[in-house]
Amino acid sequence: MNNYNLLLGLSLSVSLTSCTTDIDIKQHQPNNELVYKNESLPIEQRVNLLVEQMTLKEKVSQLFDKSPAIERLGIPEYNWWNEALHGVARAGNATVFPQAIGLAATFDEDLIHDIGNAISDEGRAKHNAFIAENNRSMYTGLTYWSPNINIFRDPRWGRGQETYGEDPYLTSRIGINFVNGLQGNNDKYFKSVATIKHYAVHSGPEVSRHSDDYTASAKDLTETYLYAFKHVIAETNVASVMCAYNSVNGTPACGNNELIQNKLRGEFKFNGYVVSDCGAIADFYDRKSHNVVTSEAEAAAIALKAGTDLNCGDHHGNTFSFLTEAVKKGYVTEDDIDVAVKRLLFARVKLGMFDQSENVPFSNIPKEAVGSQAHLALSQEAAEKSLVLLKNNALLPLKGDEKIALIGPNADNQTILVGNYHGTPINPVTPKQALEQRLGKQNVLFSPGSSLTSNIYTHFKPVSADHFFHIDHAGKQQPGLIAEYYPSNHFDIQPTKRVIEENIDHQWLRSPINNDIEQEFAVKWRGLFTPLETADYLFKATNLRFTLDGKNVDGAITLHKNKLYEFTAEAKFNHYWHSNVIQPTASLSWLNNSENLTDNALQAANSADVVVFVGGISANLEGEEMPLELDGFSHGDRTHINLPASQQLLLKKLKKTGKPIVLVNMSGSAMALNWADKNVDAIIQGFYPGEATGTALTRLLYGDYSPSGKLPITFYKSVDDLPDFKNYSMQNRTYRYYQGEVIYPFGHGLSYADIHYNKLDHNFDTETNELILNASLSNLSNFSADEVVQVYLSMPDAPIITPQRQLVSFKRITLDAKSDKMVEMTITRDKLMYVDDNGNAQSYKGRLIVTMGAGQGIKMSKSSYLTTEILLP
């Protein structure tokens, strides 16, 4: 609190005569055409000319994520909030690539660049279509709040799925290529804007992220938490950084001078704009959050002075609107505001938003780019490269003549295709769909087998039309429901449309009111509902509420065959992040809760040759600040990492059938697969692999390609010997410092090919201080395969504690069947240094242990890695 008072006191000492108030707009009106729109001028000059014409009130208005139009200056309204974590998100149909953690599992830099490029193609195509209809609402813009380059330091963090894993170097390499793909390589224009987030020291817990203060040592900051930010900024022209909710070393991240002014803008030379996480600035004065100041004006001034340029307000509203008051009180000057406004307008000009569309090379990308065959093929390639073969007792690949018992709650669950922060898939394929297509339905015996966990089930199906009726004007019962549509997000007006609908299973591509590309609206359905058999049912209502006989349905309900129940439902669609009006959806699904899922699964297993069990968890259990609290899950985070008990119990019963079992685990985080590792025949890890999940998995099962994915995180045996979740020290965390035994180490991933590492040579270049490694590899098998060659260093003679191993380089190569290849890797000078306790890089001298191979060398065959010791002078 004292630091903030000091900052505000210094601001107050500025002469009050320097404070600028709103003056007559006429004095700001240009005397000629809007000169800033002259495309031949340098961008900086254009921005300066524009800002010179703006009033204080107009400047402040542009510092909010919902920036209003300034018509007299030709500035259209703009909503800065958009998402593109693994595909254009929350804006309707888009190609869905593997979740970010799955992208990291590919260890493929070129692929990541291509994916970023494809996403920005689709983003531009969507933006062009939106602007053509003057739609400028949320999720229509070109400023993407992606990627998330935080370090996945603890497997309990529910948002870890959004990251590129636990290793700073891998995170930086994936992040660099994603940003470059997203922003493009045009000298004049950004294709789109990438935002690296959340700056900084941010990785859970979710439930307390608005109030937590995390302590990070200088060594951990340099070596771990800031590493990816520094290197992405150094090797890209990334335009934006998002600051985090939490405090770091006593100061909220979005008002942290050390982090933003000293590190980000000073040391890292970042010259773009900083946007707050949504509501983070309001957390400064929120009594349940950081509560470090007492007023909105103080919070706004502190954030602005620290270098936060754009306020995302979320449900807190616009804290930056109080900057006009802050100027009057002397907390900030109008010059301070000018700095922020210019950074933001620079980005908009760089995106071509004020230029003639024919001069912007991306303005002609057509809507057909969205879900193009090339992008769908790229999604499948990424899914295939992201799948990790954790274990294989010679069961895989399958021969192709087996009858399959496909069991598990994720076998036909579309949620595991997309993870969180996603669009609507173009061609989603579940494992069940893909296996049935390949083998024929008669050879795939399917049963969900169990709940996902507790009473959370996944095998809901839309309630079909033969269950819904209504009474017509003549008093006769007719099929379908009466649907009334209202041209607003409430029911306080008259409906403008009344139709009969078969059931409730909608995705509206355009407004059902007037065919606009988006519009707020509401719907009421009424009629009669009848089941075709007596049973206990569970319902899932997506974006709607419904009643039966006037009562809300919560949990399982017993319904009787052919009985007519009065039915009502309603849905409202708003301009808000969790209730988007772009291609909104509403559906009512159900399942028969009286079925004995276990018996069905065992019957299928006994009738089959092989069991393929697709289980794990989903993004409905792990994610961002969720209300859910169940065994193993709390507010989006995880309290333990065991496979849910319902699935574990079923797997043990399936084991007793004697049939070979392939476990396909779907999760965005590490799972403690202890029993499975000892008892099932093969294990495949899928990190929410995108819309081609089923196709990629089926092709892997049958050996159409050799698996090549590698773990970007450590799979621990449990979280019991990890530090407290809120402890941000890296001691005993991640593969670099964890001292215990693990199930599957970072970098692990098996192949169908028999690849041997034969010989490792090295040469140290004393002029460049680079280490050049050369290794010979042989593929002794009949499988052509990709291999991810990894290099790890250990520095046992360092005067302080350093990582026990540290990834410093990787390269994805292809080895043809029965072939040899030489691989050269150059380890640059900065990788031959360690970070001291003051956070400074120091040259290492002494024994250097080098491991080169298909992983770290832990739990690996001796033929799959090489180790040598080098003495560095």
Side-chain angles (χ1 to χ4, degrees):
M1 182 73 80
N2 290 337
N3 291 338
Y4 287 119
N5 290 335
L6 177 60
L7 173 60
L8 292 172
L10 290 172
S11 299
L12 282 166
S13 68
V14 177
S15 171
L16 292 178
T17 60
S18 68
C19 298
T20 305
T21 59
D22 286 359
I23 59 178
D24 191 343
I25 286 180
K26 291 181 180 179
Q27 295 183 34
H28 288 269
Q29 189 71 35
N31 296 322
N32 46 32
E33 295 296 321
L34 298 173
V35 181
Y36 81 91
K37 290 197 172 185
N38 183 342
E39 298 176 29
S40 66
L41 296 176
I43 292 180
E44 291 84 355
Q45 185 178 352
R46 296 175 65 185
V47 170
N48 289 337
L49 288 169
L50 175 55
V51 173
E52 286 174 2
Q53 300 172 35
M54 297 171 68
T55 68
L56 173 60
K57 184 177 180 180
E58 288 171 337
K59 294 172 185 176
V60 169
S61 75
Q62 298 301 296
L63 305 184
F64 187 39
D65 65 293
K66 302 170 186 65
S67 298
I70 305 176
E71 294 181 3
R72 70 182 187 86
L73 296 177
I75 301 176
E77 68 173 298
Y78 184 66
N79 194 305
W80 292 80
W81 192 341
N82 211 342
E83 306 285 352
L85 183 64
H86 54 119
V88 180
R90 299 177 176 176
N93 295 332
T95 305
V96 177
F97 296 92
Q99 177 59 287
I101 192 72
L103 296 180
T106 70
F107 279 67
D108 191 330
E109 296 188 59
D110 292 339
L111 175 67
I112 301 304
H113 184 276
D114 290 345
I115 289 171
N117 185 57
I119 291 171
S120 55
D121 271 354
E122 297 198 2
R124 272 286 178 171
K126 283 180 165 290
H127 177 73
N128 294 341
F130 288 133
I131 293 302
E133 300 196 42
N134 199 31
N135 179 4
R136 301 176 184 275
S137 62
M138 185 181 295
Y139 306 133
T140 66
L142 293 169
T143 44
Y144 295 114
W145 294 352
S146 309
N148 183 340
I149 60 171
N150 291 133
I151 297 302
F152 197 178
R153 67 184 175 92
D154 192 300
R156 288 167 284 201
W157 188 32
R159 294 188 74 182
Q161 63 177 288
E162 301 174 26
T163 75
Y164 300 134
E166 68 183 43
D167 181 72
Y169 176 71
L170 175 64
T171 297
S172 70
R173 297 313 309 169
I174 301 296
I176 287 165
N177 284 278
F178 188 84
V179 167
N180 282 335
L182 209 60
Q183 294 199 164
N185 59 4
N186 187 277
D187 290 337
K188 184 173 181 180
Y189 294 105
F190 287 137
K191 191 177 181 188
S192 65
V193 160
T195 302
I196 51 177
K197 66 182 186 183
H198 309 82
Y199 189 76
V201 195
H202 182 84
S203 52
E206 284 297 300
V207 70
S208 54
R209 61 184 183 168
H210 297 278
S211 58
D212 282 345
D213 177 22
Y214 300 132
T215 299
S217 68
K219 183 177 189 297
D220 285 343
L221 281 172
T222 300
E223 188 178 74
T224 300
Y225 295 116
L226 303 185
Y227 182 95
F229 288 95
K230 177 180 179 179
H231 286 268
V232 171
I233 290 166
E235 297 188 45
T236 71
N237 191 26
V238 65
S240 176
V241 172
M242 176 180 281
C243 52
Y245 286 119
N246 53 277
S247 287
V248 179
N249 295 336
T251 304
C254 290
N256 197 308
N257 276 287
E258 174 59 25
L259 280 180
I260 299 176
Q261 295 291 9
N262 295 347
K263 289 289 186 182
L264 188 68
R265 299 203 183 278
E267 182 180 337
F268 303 164
K269 309 301 182 186
F270 175 69
N271 58 8
Y273 69 88
V274 175
V275 56
S276 78
D277 208 338
C278 299
I281 298 174
D283 287 343
F284 292 11
Y285 58 83
D286 188 317
R287 292 184 179 181
K288 294 182 180 179
S289 302
H290 296 308
N291 193 27
V292 293
V293 294
T294 59
S295 72
E296 292 91 337
E298 292 173 288
I302 288 163
L304 186 79
K305 294 284 281 188
T308 300
D309 306 299
L310 181 66
N311 173 40
C312 177
D314 199 14
H315 60 281
H316 293 83
N318 182 9
T319 301
F320 265 11
S321 66
F322 290 87
L323 283 172
T324 52
E325 177 184 336
V327 169
K328 292 175 183 178
K329 291 185 175 180
Y331 296 164
V332 296
T333 68
E334 189 166 355
D335 288 342
D336 297 325
I337 292 171
D338 285 352
V339 171
V341 175
K342 288 178 180 179
R343 288 177 182 144
L344 296 172
L345 290 175
F346 181 92
R348 291 186 66 178
V349 174
K350 187 82 171 168
L351 285 164
M353 290 184 174
F354 303 115
D355 293 358
Q356 296 297 313
S357 60
E358 60 268 22
N359 297 332
V360 181
F362 314 113
S363 62
N364 59 357
I365 297 178
K367 62 181 180 181
E368 287 76 19
V370 178
S372 68
Q373 288 303 309
H375 291 175
L376 293 177
L378 189 63
S379 178
Q380 181 178 321
E381 178 188 351
E384 292 178 357
K385 289 182 175 180
S386 75
L387 293 173
V388 185
L389 182 60
L390 298 178
K391 177 186 178 181
N392 186 20
N393 286 344
L395 174 61
L396 298 178
L398 298 174
K399 297 180 178 63
D401 57 356
E402 305 93 343
K403 180 169 284 190
I404 300 298
L406 178 62
I407 297 169
N410 280 335
D412 197 31
N413 179 14
Q414 287 206 13
T415 303
I416 56 99
L417 277 58
V418 295
N420 68 357
Y421 281 92
H422 62 87
T424 302
I426 303 294
N427 184 31
V429 182
T430 67
K432 177 177 181 288
Q433 291 169 324
L435 280 167
E436 287 180 346
Q437 182 177 6
R438 182 168 186 133
L439 304 177
K441 290 186 178 181
Q442 70 278 8
N443 293 314
V444 180
L445 307 176
F446 168 69
S447 171
S450 72
S451 66
L452 194 61
T453 185
S454 185
N455 62 347
I456 307 295
Y457 293 89
T458 62
H459 57 289
F460 291 90
K461 297 299 179 185
V463 182
S464 58
D466 51 358
H467 296 86
F468 291 112
F469 302 90
H470 69 279
I471 304 300
D472 66 12
H473 292 297
K476 294 183 179 181
Q477 182 174 303
Q478 301 290 351
L481 294 170
I482 299 172
E484 297 176 320
Y485 286 81
Y486 296 75
S488 186
N489 61 358
H490 58 78
F491 303 108
D492 296 334
I493 56 178
Q494 290 296 314
T496 58
K497 179 181 178 181
R498 182 179 286 108
V499 294
I500 304 300
E501 296 182 341
E502 291 183 346
N503 65 344
I504 305 176
D505 187 22
H506 293 288
Q507 180 191 10
W508 293 277
L509 299 181
R510 303 183 73 91
S511 167
I513 304 293
N514 58 11
N515 206 40
D516 278 353
I517 198 167
E518 58 94 41
Q519 179 192 24
E520 291 189 335
F521 68 95
V523 195
K524 280 187 177 181
W525 293 270
R526 55 187 171 88
L528 300 170
F529 172 85
T530 184
L532 300 182
E533 63 177 301
T534 299
D536 290 343
Y537 294 96
L538 282 174
F539 288 86
K540 182 174 73 172
T542 302
N543 296 328
L544 59 84
R545 295 179 179 181
F546 77 102
T547 67
L548 291 176
D549 282 349
K551 296 180 180 179
N552 293 319
V553 178
D554 184 17
I557 181 173
T558 302
L559 300 176
H560 298 279
K561 179 179 179 179
N562 295 334
K563 180 179 177 180
L564 291 172
Y565 297 85
E566 290 187 10
F567 177 87
T568 66
E570 62 181 48
K572 301 175 182 178
F573 299 98
N574 311 294
H575 286 106
Y576 201 52
W577 69 268
H578 61 71
S579 181
N580 189 21
V581 293
I582 299 175
Q583 296 186 12
T585 62
S587 63
L588 183 65
S589 304
W590 67 342
L591 60 83
N592 185 339
N593 201 42
S594 300
E595 290 184 313
N596 192 317
L597 298 180
T598 300
D599 286 352
N600 293 346
L602 293 175
Q603 183 178 346
N606 284 317
S607 302
D609 300 309
V610 175
V611 173
V612 176
F613 186 96
V614 187
I617 56 178
S618 81
N620 288 337
L621 299 174
E622 58 175 349
E624 182 176 7
E625 203 172 3
M626 300 160 61
L628 187 72
E629 287 194 80
L630 290 170
D631 175 45
F633 305 93
S634 176
H635 298 278
D637 293 321
R638 306 180 63 191
T639 56
H640 63 70
I641 58 173
N642 301 330
L643 192 68
S646 58
Q647 297 180 52
Q648 188 91 321
L649 179 63
L650 178 58
L651 273 173
K652 290 179 178 179
K653 291 181 178 180
L654 291 170
K655 174 69 176 179
K656 292 179 181 179
T657 67
K659 301 299 173 73
I661 300 174
V662 180
L663 169 62
V664 182
N665 181 73
M666 295 291 181
S667 62
S669 52
M671 302 288 287
L673 302 174
N674 301 294
W675 182 89
D677 180 58
K678 295 178 181 178
N679 290 281
V680 306
D681 301 278
I683 302 176
I684 299 167
Q685 172 63 29
F687 292 107
Y688 307 143
E691 61 181 271
T693 292
T695 305
L697 174 62
T698 298
R699 283 171 45 80
L700 185 150
L701 290 172
Y702 289 96
D704 295 348
Y705 67 96
S706 177
S708 59
K710 301 291 183 178
L711 289 181
I713 51 176
T714 300
F715 271 45
Y716 302 94
K717 292 188 172 183
S718 77
V719 297
D720 293 344
D721 57 349
L722 289 176
D724 182 82
F725 193 3
K726 291 189 178 185
N727 181 347
Y728 270 72
S729 168
M730 289 305 297
Q731 183 177 355
N732 207 39
R733 286 197 182 280
T734 76
Y735 80 94
R736 294 179 302 138
Y737 288 105
Y738 183 70
Q739 297 298 311
E741 185 179 355
V742 303
I743 308 176
Y744 305 116
F746 172 93
H748 171 73
L750 303 178
S751 172
Y752 289 159
D754 183 13
I755 297 175
H756 284 232
Y757 286 72
N758 302 317
K759 184 182 179 183
L760 177 61
D761 294 322
H762 70 273
N763 176 49
F764 185 76
D765 189 326
T766 55
E767 292 186 5
T768 62
N769 287 326
E770 292 181 337
L771 178 65
I772 294 90
L773 304 173
N774 287 278
S776 62
L777 280 68
S778 299
N779 182 357
L780 305 181
S781 68
N782 293 319
F783 265 100
S784 176
D786 277 10
E787 172 80 343
V788 177
V789 183
Q790 305 163 52
V791 178
Y792 296 84
L793 300 182
S794 300
M795 300 179 177
D797 294 339
I800 62 167
I801 295 175
T802 58
Q804 52 195 348
R805 281 170 302 280
Q806 174 73 55
L807 179 72
V808 294
S809 186
F810 61 87
K811 181 181 292 186
R812 178 179 275 269
I813 64 169
T814 299
L815 277 167
D816 294 333
K818 302 293 185 180
S819 70
D820 301 315
K821 181 169 284 191
M822 292 295 298
V823 177
E824 181 175 289
M825 314 274 276
T826 299
I827 312 305
T828 55
R829 179 177 180 273
D830 62 301
K831 303 297 188 302
L832 302 176
M833 307 181 82
Y834 67 92
V835 177
D836 66 21
D837 289 335
N838 295 318
N840 299 317
Q842 303 290 349
S843 296
Y844 176 71
K845 298 179 181 179
R847 293 173 299 140
L848 183 72
I849 300 173
V850 180
T851 301
M852 185 174 181
Q856 297 179 50
I858 301 173
K859 293 190 171 184
M860 295 172 63
S861 65
K862 291 185 179 180
S863 64
S864 57
Y865 70 97
L866 299 166
T867 298
T868 189
E869 187 174 298
I870 302 169
L871 186 63
L872 290 184

